[in-house]
Amino acid sequence: MKQQLERKLKNRHIQLIAIGGAIGTGLFLGSGKAIHLAGPSILFAYLIIGVALFFVMRSLGELLLSNTGYASFTDFTVEYIGPWAGFVTGWTYWFCWIMTAMADITAVGKYMQFWFNIPQWIPAFLCLIVLTILNLLTVKMFGEVEFWFAIIKVITIIALIILGLVMIVVGFKTDTGHASIQNLWSYGGLFPHGINGFFLGFQMAVFSFVGIELVGVTAAETADPEKNLPRAINSLPVRVLLFYIGALFVILCIIPWTQLSADNSPFVKVFTLVGIPAAAGIINFVVLTSAASACNSGLFSTSRMLYSLGREGNAPKSFSILGRSSVPSTALISSTLALSVGVVLNYFLPDFVFTLVTSISAICFIWVWGIILVSHIIYLKKRPKLAAASKFKAPLAPFINWVVLVFFAFLLVLIGLAADTRVALFVTPVWFLILVSAYLMRRKK
């Protein structure tokens, strides 16, 4: 009997996984650096990237629903582009999440130091062990953990927006003046650092969105995918507007962008201003759960990707074996072992490594998003009847696919402009060379 992943993820799990995937450490912490680089124009950067990724997600949704036998996006990549693309994309997606999760477990370690004076690798290690055990139990357990992690993030952001709007309406007095919409343009205009600063802000904004495609990895374990996947994907624009632009708009109206630090969370700053004594602790807890949630997503997606790769013969067959609870346990433990390198790196190497790790992750995610768009273009050309019968057609395709692909190429150029992210642009091709070599050697056997 052929083993299959179980469809245990309900609509509420899928909706919150989609939200949780889109809200991570990038928004809570990274937005400080993004604002520092771009000023208020960062709002436009988030909006532009959000629109581009909506079209990626619609392409992903149409492809997944064209064949409910697809376990994840590597399946349709193999079918429409070729086995080499499935091999490279599958392993790259695994690598993306390993990199991102390494940064996240480090973040967990750092946030725990707020309360306890312990080396940061200890909480990082414990977090990894606990999340691995929870993921080994059942897929429903992953959905449940992610559901509650996401709820905490959503409540925090909604509380910030409501609180912020009240402060703006009453003209709340702060150390730097009053909360007002005028703060958006009163300190050097909307583009204080000109077009250069605006473009530099894109790098951090892209990292804030990594994981948005996680819905595509949950496809094989989603109950009633025809109903639940479109619902999760279509709510994306509202989420982007509310959680990213809404939250940052409120922050920039309350505190002039010049007063925000690149290294600290602007969220903490706002809650502290209101005079809530426990604000720093509350937000620290939220950012801690946010990092743990991102790591949880990382373990889930990497284990499912190894499962798909194993099933296709692109990785050891043992990765495609499911445990008693229909979880790919060998694949999950292998991902945990790879992630534990992050604990070791964290122990020996300084913090700059993690700027590199997140930049590499962003570049690899751009590759994955690009592959989804290319697969969709080929699907429309190769399968016109199937595309015509689709109940979830991607809008403006294939024209918009080409527009977004050009935009992604532009993003890679921007990553090459800043000194701290430029290194990643030289390191990442090494990963692709290793994969291409591995694929060619495999074919010779």
Side-chain angles (χ1 to χ4, degrees):
M1 198 181 100
K2 199 178 176 191
Q3 288 184 308
Q4 287 211 315
L5 296 170
E6 290 186 4
R7 294 191 179 274
K8 288 279 184 71
L9 295 175
K10 304 281 188 290
N11 179 46
R12 69 185 178 95
H13 294 139
I14 292 300
Q15 292 291 341
L16 270 291
I17 285 166
I19 292 173
I23 309 167
T25 317
L27 177 63
F28 285 120
L29 274 181
S31 54
K33 185 184 176 188
I35 291 166
H36 180 73
L37 291 167
S41 67
I42 196 64
L43 295 174
F44 301 116
Y46 274 98
L47 186 61
I48 293 165
I49 295 166
V51 168
L53 288 177
F54 171 66
F55 289 113
V56 172
M57 293 300 290
R58 282 300 299 253
S59 296
L60 174 65
E62 184 176 353
L63 283 164
L64 286 173
L65 294 176
S66 70
N67 177 355
T68 48
Y70 290 146
S72 75
F73 46 75
T74 48
D75 292 355
F76 62 66
T77 305
V78 169
E79 188 172 333
Y80 293 114
I81 303 178
W84 71 269
F87 180 83
V88 171
T89 305
W91 278 107
T92 298
Y93 193 65
W94 177 82
F95 183 63
C96 281
W97 272 106
I98 291 293
M99 293 282 122
T100 308
M102 275 185 193
D104 287 313
I105 57 169
T106 304
V108 167
K110 285 185 174 174
Y111 299 142
M112 286 302 281
Q113 287 180 325
F114 181 84
W115 293 297
F116 309 105
N117 186 20
I118 49 173
Q120 64 191 41
W121 68 269
I122 296 174
F125 179 67
L126 292 175
C127 169
L128 188 56
I129 297 299
V130 170
L131 290 177
T132 303
I133 292 167
L134 289 174
N135 271 277
L136 278 170
L137 297 175
T138 62
V139 65
K140 200 174 176 191
M141 182 62 77
F142 160 77
E144 216 54 57
V145 171
E146 200 49 40
F147 176 79
W148 290 107
F149 274 156
I151 286 277
I152 293 169
K153 291 191 263 194
V154 170
I155 289 171
T156 306
I157 293 179
I158 291 172
L160 172 95
I161 292 171
I162 294 169
L163 189 70
L165 289 173
V166 170
M167 288 167 81
I168 293 162
V169 170
V170 302
F172 187 86
K173 192 173 184 331
T174 66
D175 301 343
T176 50
H178 291 86
S180 162
I181 291 176
Q182 289 180 338
N183 284 337
L184 283 176
W185 57 81
S186 295
Y187 295 82
L190 289 172
F191 293 82
H193 295 315
I195 203 77
N196 268 359
F198 173 57
F199 285 152
L200 285 174
F202 272 81
Q203 299 147 7
M204 201 64 227
V206 168
F207 182 68
S208 300
F209 281 98
V210 301
I212 209 164
E213 71 308 301
L214 191 59
V215 169
V217 184
T218 61
E221 292 163 276
T222 303
D224 196 3
E226 285 88 352
K227 189 175 110 186
N228 292 334
L229 283 176
R231 201 185 283 179
I233 289 167
N234 282 335
S235 60
L236 187 68
V238 179
R239 289 203 304 272
V240 169
L241 279 171
L242 179 68
F243 296 126
Y244 285 84
I245 295 154
L248 293 179
F249 171 80
V250 162
I251 287 169
L252 290 165
C253 287
I254 296 169
I255 308 164
W257 72 272
T258 49
Q259 302 298 316
L260 293 168
S261 158
D263 304 319
N264 298 322
S265 172
F267 287 78
V268 175
K269 184 101 173 169
V270 170
F271 279 94
T272 312
L273 267 182
V274 189
I276 302 172
I282 293 166
I283 294 294
N284 195 66
F285 173 72
V286 171
V287 191
L288 174 71
T289 58
S290 173
S293 155
C295 183
N296 191 37
S297 299
L299 280 173
F300 176 87
S301 52
T302 51
S303 59
R304 269 40 176 198
M305 201 44 78
L306 287 183
Y307 167 79
S308 284
L309 288 164
R311 226 177 39 157
E312 292 151 11
N314 288 330
K317 268 279 176 274
S318 57
F319 288 160
S320 62
I321 297 168
L322 298 176
R324 276 186 305 180
S325 50
S326 295
V327 169
S329 37
T330 311
L332 182 65
I333 290 163
S334 302
S335 287
T336 302
L337 289 172
L339 242 176
S340 62
V341 173
V343 178
V344 179
L345 278 176
N346 192 45
Y347 182 77
F348 288 109
L349 294 171
D351 288 345
F352 87 91
V353 171
F354 287 89
T355 301
L356 178 67
V357 161
T358 50
S359 308
I360 291 172
S361 174
I363 294 167
C364 292
F365 271 107
I366 289 170
W367 164 275
V368 171
W369 298 333
I371 285 289
I372 292 168
L373 291 171
V374 172
S375 299
H376 188 248
I377 291 168
I378 298 169
Y379 149 84
L380 293 173
K381 207 172 181 179
K382 271 191 180 175
R383 302 282 178 87
K385 284 185 181 173
L386 190 61
S390 171
K391 290 178 185 170
F392 193 54
K393 288 186 178 73
L396 306 176
F399 168 73
I400 200 72
N401 297 42
W402 290 108
V403 173
V404 177
L405 284 168
V406 170
F407 172 64
F408 285 162
F410 175 61
L411 285 178
L412 292 176
V413 173
L414 293 181
I415 288 171
L417 289 177
D420 58 345
T421 54
R422 192 179 300 137
V423 188
L425 211 52
F426 299 120
V427 172
T428 313
V430 175
W431 166 254
F432 286 107
L433 278 173
I434 292 168
L435 284 183
V436 171
S437 306
Y439 180 74
L440 292 172
M441 281 167 68
R442 226 180 106 260
R443 286 194 63 184
K444 278 181 188 173
K445 281 182 183 177

